[in-house]
Amino acid sequence: MKNNIKIVALAFATMAITACDKFMDVNVNPNAPVDVPVDQKLPNALVKTVHLETGALNQLGAVWTGYWAKATDGPGVTSLFRLEETYGVEAMSFDRDGRPIWEDSYTTLVNYKDIETQATESGDLAYAGISKIMQGWHFMRLVDLYDNVPFSEALRGGKYATPRYEDGQTVYEGSINLITEGIQNIKEAPDLSKKPGADDVMFKGNLTLWIKFANTVKLRALLRQSELGNTAYITSELAKIEQEGSGFLGAGESALVNPGYQVTAGLQNPFWETFYKNPVGALTSGYNTLRPTEFVVAQYQNRLDPRLAKLYKPVGTTYKGVPLGQVSGSDYTMSKTSALLGPGENGNQPAGLLKSAQQPSVLLSSFESLFLQAEAAERGWLPGAKEKYEAAIKESFIYLGVGAAEFTVYNALPAVNYTLAPNKIERIIEQKWLALNSISSIEAWNDFRRLGYPTGMPQSLQSPSPDPSFRPKRLTYRQSEVYTNREEVAKQGQIDPFQNGVFWDK
């Protein structure tokens, strides 16, 4: 079995950073199920999930939340995230130039639904539970991007050829219920039933961590609704989490996926292979083009943040970014701006984002979990806001390779210290934004839409409007969906992606 798992996992590691490659795809037609054991289907689905998150979604968030710009003479300056920096939301909906986030999400959801069906029939409830948790993850992510989406009638094979759309809040609540059911399935799994082991490329069969992960995803979903005033619902769901008793992901408990990355073409960690080196050690066009924005560099510098030196390569004795959307100018060439820092620029030691070609991909980090808990605590939902805030920064330091002794000095700064913060929610989100840089950028964009932090976020110079408030608030439905489910899409009305936010964006 070990060899089979490795072969399947490595096949799926060939998916590119945009998660478009379908090599050795095991997508399941629910009308003609393939007789593949659930322990071989699970790693495929988990790899698809994390490659969508760290690829297309990370790129989308990194541009729209002010992390990524481009060197003006980089080899990818005309193509790398062109649609994102021009706010080309409508173009993203077309198959030729677009981003198949919708299609990849529903394809992966079908895979998890097939695992659920097969595992339920065989009594392997741990697999059924994991599949429900991950379905909840993907449905909520679709709402984050598109608002109303097919939910109850989705994933039903040929029964509903044109599944009806449900409003975003209903889908969120249904997804939270799915995750709650998944937790219960895991806890009720019979001792003699099949349980994940090496095929679980995220937690290696640790079901306690799966439950903590599920609770953390639910907490994130509740915080997403923090501005809606639905206090009774949030209180009720928090009570369920407390009653369950496992808590959330804590220090040292990140959800990391590694299917067996290798220093081989198509089998390396996809972020490394896109934004650092190919298997023979040559720097990629992505590496030579990608640069931090002036804004993100300034935010680290203003706080004397030691993470800056772990993320980027200095230019002489300083760090220099590029204005978001800058496409010309001799001051922003490759040689005059800071590239990502990798082992080759760090004394052959792992750097912050670029550690090795075999590094795991991050689905949900310990520091994101702790920042979620800190915000929930500051809102009075949990205890210990200050402690969780400081623990989150420490975990970010550990991940990026900053020495533990530097935390005390950093935490004493007025721009960092929790006690000294005039607006503690803003302070939490600022530090969360600094920690999620290029790791889970889509979550930083979600926070920005929800709360407006960090303030001063730059608008792209390639924006089609001079209005500084003009920026995308959501995506529009893909043309593939318009063609196949036209009446349901039409029911959603005319959508302006720069005016109409998703349900939780108030």
Side-chain angles (χ1 to χ4, degrees), residues 1-14 23-24 26 40 43-44 47 201 259-260 262 267:
M1 181 180 292
K2 182 176 180 180
N3 290 336
N4 288 338
I5 292 167
K6 187 173 183 180
I7 290 170
V8 174
L10 289 179
F12 273 83
T14 60
F23 178 65
M24 285 192 70
V26 294
Q40 291 186 25
N44 298 333
V47 169
V201 293
Q262 294 183 359
L267 302 182

Side-chain angles (χ1 to χ4, degrees), residues 294-309:
E294 287 183 331
F295 180 73
V296 73
V297 170
Q299 297 307 304
Y300 288 116
Q301 289 175 328
N302 292 346
R303 296 170 176 81
L304 305 177
D305 198 313
R307 288 172 289 194
L308 179 64

Side-chain angles (χ1 to χ4, degrees), residues 488-501:
E488 284 296 319
V489 173
K491 290 177 184 178
Q492 310 315 307
Q494 189 67 32
I495 295 169
D496 183 342
F498 301 95
Q499 295 292 330
N500 306 130

Side-chain angles (χ1 to χ4, degrees), residues 51-62 101 141 145 441-442:
H51 283 187
L52 178 59
E53 289 285 325
T54 61
L57 294 176
N58 190 37
Q59 176 169 294
L60 184 76
I101 295 169
R141 182 62 83 221
L145 298 169
S441 306
I442 193 67

Side-chain angles (χ1 to χ4, degrees), residues 47 53 56 95 123 158 170 200 230 243 294 307 317 339 362 373 380 421 451 480:
V47 169
E53 289 285 325
D95 293 337
T170 297
D200 174 7
N230 50 349
Q243 183 178 18
E294 287 183 331
R307 288 172 289 194
T317 59
V362 180
Q373 294 171 61
L451 298 170
S480 60

